[in-house]
Every structure is written in structure tokens, then in C-alpha cells.
Amino acid sequence: MGRFGPTKRKIPVPKRHGVRDPLKRLAEKEAAIKDKINNPPKEHDVQEVSNSFKRFIQLKEKANNDAGYTRQRDRPKISIGKTVVQKQAKETESSFLLRATTMQKEREAEVNFGVKYGVEVERDEVTGAIHIRKRKGTEVDAMLKKRLRNAKAGKDGKKGAKFREETKAKKLTLSEKRAKKKEKELEKKRREEDLLLREYQYDKVEFGEVVKGPPTLNTLPRRADKQNGAARPGSKRLLLHAMIEPQADEADDQQQTPSKKAKPAVTTKIDLKGKRKNLPVATRMKIEREQQNVIEMYRQLKKSAQSKK
């Protein structure tokens, strides 16, 4: 062993688990090659073929004899409706296309015949036999027949008789009327709520607007009653107010107690004669006011002329 460990590095090799007895190994070797040595061919000029070549010959013979192994070329096909037209063996391309075109024309003629006379034409694809069967009526045909019967049964004989049943308004039952009314009320309520939301949704502030305090409401709502009984919070008159503003309180009392000597307002009578009787009252008053102004101006001119003399 060296100074820093073993001087020789041990390389791992696979272990051999074969037969260790040399006689047995020799016997196995001779058994494996006994058919290859000291075994001349039975016939001098014949050589045995390999097994793979034998399998190839068998497949070839099977393909030649068995019909299932014959490969057929895919012939072109054309589908016309439910019928499939296939090109036959040794048939030219032009003859195949001509046969397909003829068959297509026959199918179109059958369909047109069925539509014209209201029947269904059925063809047997194997034998080529044709069977005609009556077509079942559709809903549209039934509706047309019903409308024709209603037109014939009309008493007045007008065009409107054809659609008499359709134009009749359906009578609603009591429950349906209630449901419809309730639905209208809900729709109206929903529209009002939408309007309220739309009104309070946006806060419009004008440019340059300055807010120094909350707004004060000086007017009452349209249907609100005047204050009766106890005063509302913030509007109660205190004793200090009476000492500071005695005159204002007296004026308020005078306004609250109606005076018995108050004279009724003098109503001016409007002249309803002449050319102005057909005019509105406001227009007539305006014309009279302008007339009085012109008269006053004329009188002033007269006075000024007399004073100059």
C-alpha cells in the first residue's frame, strides 16, 4: 500500500455463472455442432434453401391460389341521393359520367312528379322497381284547407271573411285581467323608481359655484299644511326673541289678527264696448294704458307751449 492509499485500482468485472466443468462444456459444444460437421448432403447436386425463403414461396403460392388475396383497385363512385353509382370494370370515363348524368336526370324527374301530384316515388336500388305512394299531408296544407273552408262558410262573401277567426280578439278571463292590471301597476312603479334614481344620480355643479353653507328651504311643499300646534325643532320662538324684537312680534300679531275695518279692494271696470270687446282682457288693458300715456304726453306738450307764450 502506498503512502496515500492502494497503488492498484480494482476494476469491477461481471461474474461468469456458466458451467465450470470443462468436460460438460465440451459436451455442450459438440451437441450444438453435430449437425454441421461430418454430415454430407444426401444428394450431391442439391442444396437446401433457407427457412425464410421457404416462407416466401408459401406466401406466393397462397396469393396466386386464394381469391381473397387478389387486390382490387378502388373504382370511382358518385352518390346521387340514396343511390351510389360505381364505375364498372373496363368502362370508360365518358360512359361512366354519361350513365351518372342520366340517373341524376331521372331522379330529378321523379322528385318533380312527386311535388306536382302530391305523391312519393320510391325506387328499389337492387331491382330498379318504382313504387308510388300517397304523401302525408303537412301542417301548412291543413292550415290552407282550413282557411279555404272558413272563406267558403262566410256569409258576407268579402275578403275579410277569410281571416274572421284570426281577427277575433281573445276574451280575457277575470284572473287574466287582474294579472294584466297588476303587471301594469308594477311597470308604472318601476318607471317612477327609475326616474327618481335618474334624478338623484348626478350632482350638477355649475362652474365657479361657491358653497358657504347648506341650503335653506323657505317654501313649503305644495300640499303641506301650515304649522299648527307645537313648533318644530329649530323654529320655536323664545322669550329672548320677544325682548329683542318687540316690534316685529307686534307686526306679526297684527298680520295674524285680521282687521275688521279692512275695505275690500276696488275693482276697476273694463269697458267691453267698441272694437276692443273681442280682445283679451290683458291686451285691452295694455292698449288702454298706452292710450293714457299718449294723452298725458299731449297735455304736457300743450302746457309747455302755453308757458313759452
Side-chain angles (χ1 to χ4, degrees):
M1 180 178 285
R3 184 176 179 183
F4 299 103
T7 55
K8 293 183 179 180
R9 184 166 62 91
K10 185 178 180 181
I11 300 173
V13 293
K15 296 181 179 180
R16 296 175 178 83
H17 299 287
V19 181
R20 295 185 179 182
D21 190 359
L23 297 176
K24 289 184 179 181
R25 282 190 293 179
L26 183 61
E28 289 178 359
K29 185 178 178 181
E30 289 178 354
I33 61 174
K34 69 178 181 178
D35 296 333
K36 299 178 182 179
I37 59 174
N38 298 327
N39 188 14
K42 296 178 181 179
E43 297 181 6
H44 184 69
D45 295 332
V46 176
Q47 184 179 1
E48 291 288 335
V49 296
S50 61
N51 293 329
S52 60
F53 186 73
K54 289 179 182 179
R55 288 194 298 271
F56 177 74
I57 295 299
Q58 290 176 1
L59 290 173
K60 182 181 177 182
E61 291 177 355
K62 191 174 182 180
N64 291 332
N65 298 329
D66 194 357
Y69 275 79
T70 57
R71 184 181 177 185
Q72 297 180 358
R73 293 178 60 187
D74 295 336
R75 298 174 184 174
K77 299 177 182 179
I78 297 175
S79 59
I80 302 172
K82 297 180 180 179
T83 308
V84 178
V85 184
Q86 188 174 11
K87 186 179 179 182
Q88 297 178 358
K90 298 181 181 180
E91 186 179 14
T92 60
E93 189 75 18
S94 59
S95 60
F96 169 64
L97 294 176
L98 180 62
R99 186 160 58 89
T101 306
T102 306
M103 189 172 292
Q104 184 177 3
K105 289 181 180 179
E106 291 177 357
R107 296 295 184 273
E108 290 178 358
E110 291 173 2
V111 171
N112 295 333
F113 179 81
V115 171
K116 184 177 180 180
Y117 296 101
V119 295
E120 291 182 0
V121 181
E122 295 181 354
R123 178 187 289 271
D124 192 354
E125 301 297 338
V126 180
T127 60
I130 297 174
H131 302 282
I132 297 175
R133 189 177 61 182
K134 188 177 180 181
R135 182 180 295 175
K136 295 181 180 179
T138 58
E139 295 182 0
V140 178
D141 297 338
M143 289 171 62
L144 291 173
K145 289 180 181 178
K146 186 177 180 181
R147 186 172 291 181
L148 188 61
R149 285 199 304 270
N150 295 336
K152 289 180 180 179
K155 296 179 181 179
D156 50 359
K158 296 180 181 179
K159 292 183 179 179
K162 295 181 180 180
F163 309 101
R164 185 177 297 171
E165 291 187 1
E166 297 177 0
T167 54
K168 280 185 179 179
K170 182 183 177 183
K171 292 184 179 180
L172 300 176
T173 60
L174 186 60
S175 59
E176 290 177 350
K177 288 181 180 178
R178 288 176 181 172
K180 196 172 183 180
K181 186 177 180 181
K182 192 174 182 180
E183 187 177 355
K184 286 183 179 179
E185 291 177 356
L186 289 173
E187 186 67 24
K188 186 178 179 182
K189 189 175 180 181
R190 197 180 299 113
R191 268 193 259 108
E192 291 177 355
E193 290 177 356
D194 293 342
L195 288 174
L196 289 173
L197 288 173
R198 201 178 304 159
E199 182 180 355
Y200 294 107
Q201 193 171 5
Y202 301 103
D203 188 10
K204 296 182 180 179
V205 180
E206 299 294 337
F207 179 75
E209 183 179 357
V210 179
V211 179
K212 296 181 179 179
T216 56
L217 302 176
N218 299 324
T219 57
L220 293 173
R222 185 173 57 183
R223 296 182 181 178
D225 298 332
K226 292 184 179 180
Q227 183 176 348
N228 295 325
R232 295 183 63 82
S235 62
K236 186 177 180 181
R237 301 291 293 175
L238 303 177
L239 296 175
L240 185 61
H241 290 157
M243 295 172 64
I244 295 173
E245 302 174 356
Q247 297 178 357
D249 293 341
E250 292 177 1
D252 293 341
D253 295 338
Q254 289 178 4
Q255 289 180 2
Q256 290 178 2
T257 57
S259 60
K260 297 180 181 180
K261 298 179 181 180
K263 295 181 180 180
V266 180
T267 57
T268 57
K269 293 184 179 181
I270 301 170
D271 189 10
L272 300 177
K273 297 178 181 179
K275 296 180 180 179
R276 302 175 188 173
K277 63 181 180 180
N278 295 327
L279 295 175
V281 177
T283 308
R284 198 180 300 117
M285 291 175 65
K286 185 177 179 181
I287 293 171
E288 290 178 357
R289 198 180 302 114
E290 291 178 355
Q291 185 179 2
Q292 291 294 331
N293 293 336
V294 171
I295 292 169
E296 290 293 332
M297 290 171 64
Y298 180 73
R299 286 175 180 174
Q300 289 178 5
L301 287 172
K302 283 286 187 181
K303 287 181 181 180
S304 62
Q306 289 178 3
S307 62
K308 286 180 181 180
K309 289 179 180 181

